[in-house]
Amino acid sequence: MATIDLNRLIKRYGHTTVVHGIDLSVRDGEFVVLVGPSGCGKSTTLRMIAGLEEISGGEIRIDGRVVNDLQPKDRNIAMVFQNYAIYPHMTVADNIAFGLYRSNLSKSEKRQRVEQAAETLGLSQLLDRRPSALSGGQRQRVAIGRAMVRDPAAFLFDEPLSNLDAQLRTQMRIEIKRLHHRLGTTSVFVTHDQVEAMTMADRIVVMRDGRILQVGTPLELYENP
Ligand code: ADP
Ligand code: ADP
């Protein structure tokens, strides 16, 4: 579990500012969705939280501790990507276990974590398969499994459903929310899809041009668009 605080967070590429000093506090166990049109800075914000992108100004705190200078692996958070980022030559088990690459856990502990994640995600029967023998939804679950085995304090989702067809997208929305209810892990979910935001979020953060336009529950934003 974790809180995430962004204080006056800034990102510049050269002379162009793409995130203009945003403030946001994500509460412990909350599911926050960042929504807005393509190019408004959602992914950059998420990547800064993950430590995959250097910040140009301001501060990021996880559980109250400033993480500005911490490596991604030391932030205790895990990212789930859009394009699955899974390896075709590796089995499901190895793909999930890759989340523990560089961890100091013993082999048997790793195996146990992989099996636990697979069970939670309904992948137990598929551990020896290669990704080519999986459906799109199963592949997406493998990507989530890789994040889960690290037992992170928070999940960061970068448009994880945008490559799926409409039916699968709806199903995975429900699955991800069910997982969230079960694990209670603080989550920040990025999407350009308003329906996704409205149906998944505890709280929605609407971004435009590198700024936060509005913050509210789905009901608040529905009643006050
Ligand atoms: P979103 O996730 O909302 O689609 P991004 O965070 O990906 O938006 O991008 C925000 C802005 O930053 C865009 O204008 C994009 O072109 C720009 N940008 C992203 N990455 C880079 C980069 N490596 N160099 C220069 N500009 C970038
Ligand atoms: P490796 O030497 O392959 O890196 P690790 O030290 O990473 O081994 O230990 C975890 C290994 O256990 C992974 O290779 C992973 O694929 C494997 N593993 C975990 N759970 C299972 C399982 N249920 N079935 C098969 N292999 C598993």
Side-chain angles (χ1 to χ4, degrees):
M1 304 285 264
T3 57
I4 300 171
D5 294 289
L6 311 182
N7 299 318
R8 304 261 138 226
L9 186 63
I10 295 170
K11 180 64 185 182
R12 289 187 209 95
Y13 289 111
H15 295 296
T16 313
T17 303
V18 300
V19 175
H20 291 263
I22 62 176
D23 292 309
L24 178 67
S25 289
V26 180
R27 293 187 283 266
D28 200 23
E30 196 176 25
F31 197 104
V32 165
V33 176
L34 302 186
V35 67
S38 180
C40 72
K42 307 180 295 293
S43 181
T44 301
T45 300
L46 204 66
R47 293 169 59 81
M48 287 193 284
I49 297 171
L52 301 174
E53 200 77 70
E54 257 186 60
I55 72 175
S56 310
E59 190 179 75
I60 299 173
R61 289 175 182 263
I62 298 176
D63 278 335
R65 171 179 174 223
V66 178
V67 299
N68 291 9
D69 298 323
L70 285 190
Q71 294 297 308
K73 66 177 170 60
D74 298 323
R75 295 187 183 203
N76 195 21
I77 52 188
M79 189 122 157
V80 179
F81 296 94
Q82 171 181 63
N83 50 6
Y84 315 128
I86 59 179
Y87 298 102
H89 61 287
M90 286 166 34
T91 63
V92 167
D94 285 341
N95 265 290
I96 295 176
F98 194 77
L100 296 173
Y101 176 68
R102 281 196 187 147
S103 90
N104 296 321
L105 296 175
S106 71
K107 223 173 170 94
S108 74
E109 281 172 316
K110 282 186 186 175
R111 179 177 278 265
Q112 204 178 351
R113 291 259 189 118
V114 170
E115 281 170 3
Q116 217 164 48
E119 182 164 346
T120 303
L121 295 165
L123 294 170
S124 297
Q125 306 308 315
L126 306 175
L127 281 169
D128 296 327
R129 287 212 195 163
R130 313 241 167 221
S132 57
L134 299 178
S135 70
Q138 288 166 342
R139 278 180 216 174
Q140 189 58 65
R141 281 187 242 149
V142 172
I144 295 171
R146 178 184 296 169
M148 264 176 71
V149 281
R150 300 173 56 184
D151 194 18
F155 288 121
L156 306 178
F157 294 94
D158 193 2
E159 305 236 12
L161 308 184
S162 57
N163 285 341
L164 305 178
D165 66 46
Q167 192 186 349
L168 195 51
R169 207 179 308 145
T170 308
Q171 184 192 328
M172 288 306 296
R173 260 187 229 148
I174 294 165
E175 284 190 22
I176 289 174
K177 279 304 287 193
R178 192 175 293 148
L179 189 68
H180 178 253
H181 282 133
R182 193 140 148 212
L183 304 178
T185 310
T186 307
S187 298
V188 182
F189 187 106
V190 159
T191 183
H192 62 269
D193 183 334
Q194 298 208 18
V195 176
E196 225 160 83
M198 290 302 257
T199 53
M200 297 187 78
D202 293 330
R203 214 149 47 104
I204 297 175
V205 176
V206 182
M207 288 186 69
R208 284 283 187 289
D209 300 328
R211 293 189 166 85
I212 293 177
L213 204 65
Q214 249 182 325
V215 181
T217 64
L219 187 61
E220 284 166 353
L221 295 195
Y222 180 74
E223 290 177 339
N224 206 350

